[in-house]
Amino acid sequence: MTADPALGSKRLETELESAGALPEAWRDAFRATPRHLFIPDEVWSEASDGWRRLSRLTEPDVWWEMVNRDGYIVTQVDDGRPAAPDHGEYSTSSATQPSLVLRMLDELNAEPGMRVLEIGTGTGYNAALLAARLGPENVTTVEVDPQLADRTRRTLARVGRPVRVVTADGIAGHPPHAPYDRIIATASVQRVPTAWIEQTRPGGIILTPWGNAYHNDALLRLTVHEDGTASGPFTGRAPFMWMRDARVLLGTLGDEVHDGDVPDVSTTDLDLRGMFGHLDVDFAIGVQVPGVSWHRFDADDRCGAFTVWLIDVDPATDRGPR
Ligand SMILES: C[S@@+](CC[C@H](N)C(=O)[O-])C[C@H]1O[C@@H](n2cnc3c(N)ncnc32)[C@H](O)[C@@H]1O
């Protein structure tokens, strides 16, 4: 992979163009916002047992490969306190996959001059794209993690997109600059906070990833009405990490299943092969059983048999996700 920033950006652009993932309205902003400027030198790469630290200094080719392709990049693990210096257990901040960033911006339908609130600053790449098109003075972004907020505030100033970076819990929105024409969240919620609806002008749009213990992969697009309510459709997939206080402990079998447990046994005529790991089905079941997580184990001999465990979890837990 090339370390030439211009060539790298062009490569990413070509990948997005050929996938039809670079909306016309955002093309100029994308070209004016090289992604590598927002990715820290130290990132995290997926490993069999979690995340391993990856440094631009020691593995420049891998770093550039990650930056210049259409994938997400984990930029923080374990809320900034990794389990070991070079090993993390779960991701807590990332640069979102560029095609997803652009799809969400397109769905947000934000026009130059509108005031936008982003919840989940992360690397600042999304905020910088918004600033390129709407003007930095019209963009406010909220980040709950003080270290990330400080770093990204400096980055955005350095690259000439001095958007307002607020260090706070974004669940409360940011009242001082409300009302907003648009609110966009880049972390997943289980419930849309009332504050977001109150801080969006009538006719304005709230776009947020949404999920629950059963299924966390949906994008919700709400329009706010004059009477203070909001409604709208789920528009597609949006695999995001949780907002900090919305995290779900998915549970482990070891916590739930113990020697001597006696199961209730029943049978069903349903074909279970079509019931787990299929987007629409998972979504439909998940809204019925929001507090249940599932784990599927396929037979080692690849005979097609599998076991699914359903675990009743407490969504209010504050332990980290798995
Ligand atoms: C997927 S990353 C955001 C990606 C980012 N928009 C970008 O362009 O790089 C999610 C971010 O949301 C932040 N976050 C989680 N819970 C939050 C909360 N309650 N309020 C504000 N930010 C939050 C995380 O710390 C993390 O940085």
Side-chain angles (χ1 to χ4, degrees):
M1 172 55 63
T2 175
D4 178 325
L7 280 179
S9 292
K10 189 68 198 159
R11 179 199 188 270
L12 177 57
E13 182 178 333
T14 305
E15 183 180 351
L16 293 168
E17 286 280 19
S18 58
L22 186 47
E24 180 62 40
W26 289 94
R27 184 168 288 129
D28 289 347
F30 172 83
R31 287 183 177 154
T33 313
R35 191 185 191 210
H36 72 274
L37 299 177
F38 300 87
I39 308 299
D41 287 348
E42 305 261 300
V43 297
W44 297 84
S45 158
E46 194 156 14
S48 56
D49 57 348
W51 300 92
R52 84 170 171 88
R53 192 188 291 275
L54 190 153
S55 166
R56 177 181 182 172
L57 294 177
T58 53
E59 296 181 79
D61 290 351
V62 187
W63 189 91
W64 280 104
E65 165 67 25
M66 290 169 91
V67 170
N68 294 330
R69 75 175 148 78
D70 184 27
Y72 68 91
I73 303 173
V74 171
T75 51
Q76 187 201 59
V77 294
D78 305 346
D79 291 326
R81 296 178 293 280
D86 292 323
H87 172 80
E89 289 187 350
Y90 55 92
S91 59
T92 47
S93 189
S94 63
T96 309
Q97 181 180 20
S99 55
L100 180 53
V101 171
L102 290 161
R103 176 162 67 83
M104 287 176 65
L105 288 173
D106 204 35
E107 283 197 32
L108 191 65
N109 207 11
E111 299 290 337
M114 284 185 173
R115 292 153 63 90
V116 177
L117 175 68
E118 180 197 34
I119 314 291
T121 311
T123 63
Y125 180 62
N126 190 52
L129 286 167
L130 281 165
R133 183 134 184 266
L134 276 55
E137 68 284 3
N138 289 320
V139 181
T140 303
T141 179
V142 185
E143 170 57 56
V144 73
D145 187 293
Q147 278 186 348
L148 295 178
D150 288 349
R151 185 182 69 199
T152 301
R153 193 178 292 112
R154 287 195 299 273
T155 303
L156 286 162
R158 192 173 61 240
V159 303
R161 308 273 168 79
V163 312
R164 196 177 294 107
V165 180
V166 179
T167 309
D169 184 348
I171 294 296
H174 185 61
H177 293 94
Y180 303 99
D181 298 287
R182 302 284 186 265
I183 292 185
I184 179 170
T186 57
S188 201
V189 293
Q190 297 186 53
R191 290 174 184 276
V192 177
T194 333
W196 297 1
I197 299 173
E198 289 167 352
Q199 291 170 33
T200 304
R201 69 159 173 79
I205 290 171
I206 299 170
L207 190 71
T208 183
W210 178 90
N212 57 38
Y214 196 91
H215 179 69
N216 176 27
D217 189 0
L219 188 61
L220 177 60
R221 185 179 192 270
L222 299 175
T223 302
V224 174
H225 308 297
E226 291 282 355
D227 64 0
T229 63
S231 64
F234 287 98
T235 62
R237 300 189 59 170
F240 271 91
M241 59 184 59
W242 292 107
M243 289 280 169
R244 268 198 190 178
D245 70 351
R247 286 175 183 165
V248 175
L249 174 68
L250 295 181
T252 61
L253 292 183
D255 293 338
E256 311 293 336
V257 183
H258 309 100
D259 287 345
D261 283 353
V262 180
D264 292 332
V265 178
S266 60
T267 59
T268 177
D269 291 334
L270 288 173
D271 184 348
L272 299 182
R273 288 171 298 189
M275 273 185 60
F276 298 95
H278 301 272
L279 197 65
D280 294 348
V281 183
D282 289 343
F283 178 85
I285 298 174
V287 292
Q288 305 292 329
V289 287
V292 172
S293 75
W294 60 270
H295 305 254
R296 172 176 169 153
F297 298 95
D298 290 290
D300 288 341
D301 62 3
R302 300 179 181 215
C303 66
F306 62 90
T307 305
V308 175
W309 292 86
L310 295 158
I311 302 182
D312 189 357
V313 294
D314 174 13
T317 181
D318 61 358
R319 287 164 62 191
R322 288 168 197 283

